[in-house]
Each structure stands twice: as C-alpha cells, then as structure tokens.
Amino acid sequence: MERILVLFVVGMVMSGGRAQAQNSEGRRIHTLFSVECQNYFDWQTVGLMHSYRKAHQPGPITRLLSCTEEERKSYRGMQLAPTLEVPSVSRHPKTGDWYPAINKAAGIVHWLKHSKDAENVDWVVILDADMIIRGPIVPWELGAEKGKPVAAYYGYLVGCDNVLAKLHTKHPELCDKVGGLLAMHIDDLRALAPLWLSKTEEVREDRPHWATNFTGDIYGTGWYGYSFGASEVGLRHKMNDNLMIYPGCIPREGIEPILLHYGQQFSVGKWSFSKLDHHEDNIVYKCGHHFPEPPYPREVKEMEADLDKRRALFISIECINTLNEGLLLQHAAHGCLMPKWSKYLSFLRSKTFVELTQPKILIPRSRQIMEVNVQSEGDGEPAKSYPKIHTIFSTECSTYYDWQTVGLVHSFHLSGQPGNITRLLSCTEEDLKQYEGLDIAPTHYVPSMSRHPVTGDWYPAIHKPAGVVHWLDHANIDAEYIVILEADMIMRGPITPWEFNAAPSRPVSTPYEYLIGCDNELAKIHTHNPDSCNKVGGVIIMHISDLRRLALLWLHKTEELRADRAHWSRNITGDAYESGWISEMYGYSFGAAELNLRHVISNEILIYPGYVPVPGVKYRVFHYGLEFRVGNWSFDKARWRRVDLVNKCWAKFLDPPDPSTLDQSDEGALQRDLLSIECANKLNEALHIHHERKKCPDLTSLSSPNPKTPVPPSLRSPNRETLDPLSLQPPNRETTSEITTSRKLGKIDEALRHYSMPENESQELLLSSVTNQIFTSMRFWIIVIWAIAVFGFVTLISAMLSSRKGQKRRGRSFKTNRRTTYSGLWDMNGHDQHCQNAEMS
C-alpha cells in the first residue's frame, strides 16, 4: 500500500508540473540532463529525479541517455527517468578520440532533431546529473531573456581571456565563463547546439593548447565547446553566482541556493562523501542500500558554533540525505521489501527532515546578476566590466627571494589573473645599493623593518604588514580588490573576488588550522572579538576599503604579539619553536577580528605540493613552503637560500621525474605527484625564460668559450662546513622565512636539514661547477706543459753545444723527466676530477 501511495504522489507531482508548464503561453519549460549507461550515472539520475519532484520543478524532464549497442543490451535502468536514447559518441566516429563528455552536446543536438518535446517548449533548463534541485528553476524568474541566457559562473575557464578564445571564435570578447546551470530560450538553443558540438570537437583536436595555462584544466583534456559556440552566435549570459553551490562551501549571507552540485568531495566532521568513490556502485539495484549516513542536524549544531559554517554543513547533509531518500523510494517503487526500522530511516520520515528539505523559494538577492556586465565602449565593441584587482606580495633584497619572485611573476602572467602585480621589496639602504634584482618584477620599495626601529626586535616577517601599510600610503592604487600572496607561490589560475564570493566586509582566505591561538586565551588577550578570529592566511582577497582599515591594525597587532613573549609557548600559539615567528599571522587574524571581518574560507584556492588533491578541485595556487617528494627526487626551498639562481646564467633546479614514469595504480598518489612535478617544472620554466631575457650566452657555446662568451662562474651549493651552527637563531635574517614555514606544521626534526642542499637538488648545479673547474684546470696545465717544453728545448740546444757525451746523458734525463711530468700531470687531473665527483656524490 505504501508503494502505491509513493507512486501516486510521484505521478501527481510530475503531472502537476507538466500542467503548470503548459498553462502559460510562451512559458513552457523543459529540463534536460545527459548521462551514460553506467551504474555511476544511475544513482545520480535517481537523486536528480527525486529532487526534481520534491522541488516542484515545472515542466517535463528528459534524460539524454548515451549508450553503445553493447551497453544497451545489459542496461537495467531504462525506468529511472523519462528517457531519450542518444547514439554514443564517446569514441568519436571519425577521429577515434575518446571523450565521453561530448555526449552532452551531441545529445542535445539529437533531442532538438528527433524529440517531439522540442517542438512544444519555449524555455530549456540544462543541468548536470550530479545535481540536487532545491527549488523551482524558472528561467524568466532568474532574469533570462531571449538572446540572454542565465548561467552559473565558472571563473576557472581562463581560456576565455587568452589565445584559446582568439583561436576558436571570431568573437573572443563575447566569451563567457559559464557552465553547470543553463537556462535559455529554445530559439537560442537551436542556434547554439550545432556549434556547441562542433566547437567541442575543434577544441579536442587542438591538443597543443590543452595545457593548464591556456585552459585552466589541470588534467589537460580540452573544454570550452559551449562558451565558444555561444560567442559565435552572439549569446551574452547573465551570470549568477548565487543560484548554485558546491556542498562544503559556505553560502553567502542571506542567500539560499536552489541547486547543489556535488562534483567535489565534501565532509562533515569525520564523515565525507565523494562521488568518485562510487563509480562502480550498483546501489540503485540493491534493496535497502544507501550511502553512509551523515551526522544528524543535532550533531551538526554541536560540532560547529559559527552560524555561517553551520549553514554549509546543513547543506552538505541535506545533499546526501536527499540522495538516500531518493534511493529508498526508488527501491520501494520497484518491488523491494520495506527495510528494517533504523534511527536513520526514522529521521528521513520525520517532520524535521521534511522541514529541512522543503522547496526553497527564490529570493531577490539570489537573482542578483554578477558585476560582470556588458557595456558599450567608444569603438562600439562590447566589453566586460569587472571589479579591478591588484595582486601584491612581499620580499626582501636577497637572491633567495629573487628566484621565488621570478617564479611567481611568471606564473601570474600565465594564470589569466586580472590586473597588475606589485612586489613590496623591503631593503635597508645599504642592501639596496648592492641589490641586482630591481628589474625582475614591478616593485614598490619599502624601508626595512627587520630590526624594529623602536624596540630593536629582529623580526623580518613584519615586512609583510609594514609593506602593505607603506604601499597603501604611498602608491596610487586604482583597484577595488587586493589579492595578497606569498613569494613562495606559483599561480595556476585566476583568483578573483567574484568567483570566491568576496565582498566588502567579507574577505576570502585559505585555512591555516595550526593557528590555535584563535581558540584560546591568546585571542582573548589580543582582540576584543575573539569569536571573530579566523584561522586563515596564505592567500587573501580583500576589498580595498577593508584593507585600508585593517593594515595598520595588522602591523600593530604583530608588534603586540612579538612583545608578548609570555605567550609564545607551543600550547598557546601552535609554534613548535616557541619563538614568536608566526606573530605576523596572528597579527592579521587578530586585526581582522577587531574589525569583525568574517572570512569566506575556501579549501579550493591553495594546495601544498606533496599533498593529495581533492578530486575535481581546480587549485589556483601552489604554496611550496614545505619539502615535497616524488620518488627519490625532492624539493625544499630552504636549501636553496644561498644559491644565486637568478644572476648565474642557466642555473636551475634539478628536473623532477617524467610523468610517464609514475605509478598509475594509486590515483590519489598519481595526482599528488603530477602536481608536484608541475610546480617544479613551472619554477624551472620561469628561470629559463628569465635567463633568455637576460640574453645569457647560448648553452652550446659554453663548452667552447671565447672572449665574447665568458664561462659563467661556477655555482656551489651550501654545505654544513660553511654554515654557522647558530644560524637557526635570530638575528640571522636569512633564516627567517624557511624556519617560519617549517614551524607551521611543527617540523622540528627537519629544521637542521633545511640548511644543506641534498644530492639530487644540488647535482645539476655541481655538474656545471665540475665542468667549469675541470676546463679551467686543463687550460692551466696545458700552459704549464707548453712552458716546460720550451724550457726543455732551450736546455737541449745548450747541452748540444757543450759536449756530445754530456748531451746524451742530459737527453736521457730530460726524456725521463718529461715522461714523469706528463704522468704526474694526468694523475693530478684525475685526482681533482675524482674529488669533484666525490663531493657531488
């Protein structure tokens, strides 16, 4: 009886939706989504269909099902949704290219040509299978117009800003970074669909431009068919960043998203969910089975006091609970016996769950279109109007920061980051006179505060807030948002306020969980608003008005923390060295708390090389502050602090392993190692381009030196014998940054290792050194041999003039000596070379 009731309710909901769509002339809606004949897409289909009914989405829905003939014979899921079978083009019939994602564009083209529904519709909503609908998606209520579809913003599609768009569309200025949710008029879809498909094929064939710096795609597989096709037909999108959210992200205050996109892993406490973990899961066909139950609402309230973070957790459990509810109803509708009672099943039937998952009503703030508008310029061409951005980072006058600067600035230009970049360079006047790196980046000079002018405290990290204060006071800044980075970072894509939901009084940053002082008495002592203290750092996106209010507080709070030596202990600060080196980080958090600046904390901006990435996350920044390894190869920035990689021609780091040599069996480890290799290669690429710009001599000419092509000085690696054993202690300013980085995660046992270059990292530089030294040594001995030969010849002539008998004896003696000299020479050279090799090993 219960199953009959379920089917009746489902039928009423669907028929009611269709009736609603048909009643209004010109306002008929049809929803589409694309899948393949796999268990992976079947459970996603169940979740989407269930949420479609719960949300009372108007109009019919059609699943575009792509199957090969072989797959179709054994496929079990034809009854999961209203379906149109679409010929599979996962393997392209002409090129043989394997790309299942093309089935989405091909499926829509097929639907437009062969479905009667396509002839009786005015508006189309296109979704992905891995989505949960929370409320009705009505195109005209979202602001969609004919010629102006509404879409979710996909800021990582950097190919709209660079050469990729210029290669693949006649109107690159019309290219919009959109995806996920699409709501458009049927006439627009008819014009777009064929180009969507053809542009997808075109980009797939353009393999030279699959690289991350062109596409923003870390997997390098080719995207952009939709955006390029839309620009070809002149469609301009109304981009909305409030309608859709990824579970695990914090929604904006006052915003209730109506669509959940669970394309990334998310967690609630110790529980987590990733769709990729269930690729072969046939859970749809196992009676009573569902995904592991998440924490209950009561438990979520207990584990998180912050209301914004709690909202994010509630969205996460709503997503998985809706999936599970859909699975259980699917089982009941297809003959499964009622599962045994459990606390979780009771919850899914409870009034509490019904209230939590009732359809969400679209509010005016959710309809708000992003600031990415279309304006008419003087030449008549449309252009996008973004909030202006300026990126800054802080360094000192040393070669250690110079190679980091070269790497960051190079990656900045490749990333598609809007606006300009400025290095805040802190130097003493004496250092500045000898400094050779003024031309490696756009620079704002900042007087050094390494030695505090009042207290005498030696703390180079204070340069960061001091530099920001100086820059704000002395520079002409024409930007609404400031992005603050560290020097030891590599950018992989744009970091924009509109993508990461930054706003005035709502900065964005990345989590620094080790800042435990936000949770204890340290915050209570140093801020009036300890509850507002966020454990953040690394990357900061902030409105200029907020930064102007914060900068001086950031500096003063840093000074305050440095003076509070009584609270430097590890159990209070999290600083393993208990020396106050992370005071600047607390200075930022406490200063922001004073102003009640609550951060949007994003886990999707930054990753440390060596960490396993979350599947599907497009990280924008590498922060190589910690040692990382790939097999026997490793990289630790601190071991290169005394090596001049910028001013010595063609100096670089040892190349990481080739990606083709990696173990393919562990996907997580593989992606981790690929990211590590990418980071190291990007640093070497930056150094190579820098040396080219310096007009370093051609590498092949170094082996044949001449007066116009001097041999570059040899580069020697730091070694333990040349180091001061007290170099770990202040005031040796050269050690500050690397010690701070190690302290971040309490790596006490690795501190001393940071001050010697390992074999595999120093080997390449030492090979250059050995080659140069051997050549110099050989040239010296050749000159010596020549001098001896001349002297011997003169001696021989003199001997011949004296006496014949004496001439013979001296001749034999001379020949013996000459052989001895040559033998000794080559022995000596062999000994020198052996020592060099011994040093290298």
Side-chain angles (χ1 to χ4, degrees), residues 621-647:
V621 168
F622 286 131
H623 191 183
Y624 55 89
L626 304 171
E627 182 180 19
F628 57 96
R629 297 177 175 272
V630 180
N632 294 325
W633 175 93
S634 69
F635 180 86
D636 185 344
K637 67 162 190 174
R639 302 186 189 186
W640 297 84
R641 71 191 232 282
R642 294 184 178 178
V643 181
D644 188 352
L645 293 159
V646 172
N647 297 309

Side-chain angles (χ1 to χ4, degrees), residues 76-106:
R76 297 178 285 176
M78 289 304 299
Q79 305 305 315
L80 296 179
T83 300
L84 176 68
E85 292 187 60
V86 177
S88 174
V89 289
S90 293
R91 177 75 66 187
H92 197 279
K94 293 183 179 179
T95 66
D97 179 37
W98 178 259
Y99 185 58
I102 201 174
N103 285 315
K104 185 175 183 180

Side-chain angles (χ1 to χ4, degrees), residues 218-219 611-613 666-676:
I218 62 172
Y219 299 103
Y611 281 45
V612 176
D666 185 335
E667 182 64 21
L670 174 63
Q671 296 305 323
R672 174 200 64 202
D673 291 347
L674 286 174
L675 290 180
S676 297

Side-chain angles (χ1 to χ4, degrees), residues 543-568:
H543 196 273
I544 185 68
S545 61
D546 295 327
L547 188 59
R548 290 191 185 279
R549 291 190 299 142
L550 171 64
L552 202 55
L553 264 175
W554 181 3
L555 177 58
H556 289 167
K557 289 294 178 182
T558 301
E559 295 170 320
E560 190 177 307
L561 266 293
R562 285 293 297 172
D564 186 9
R565 294 174 175 266
H567 292 93
W568 280 7

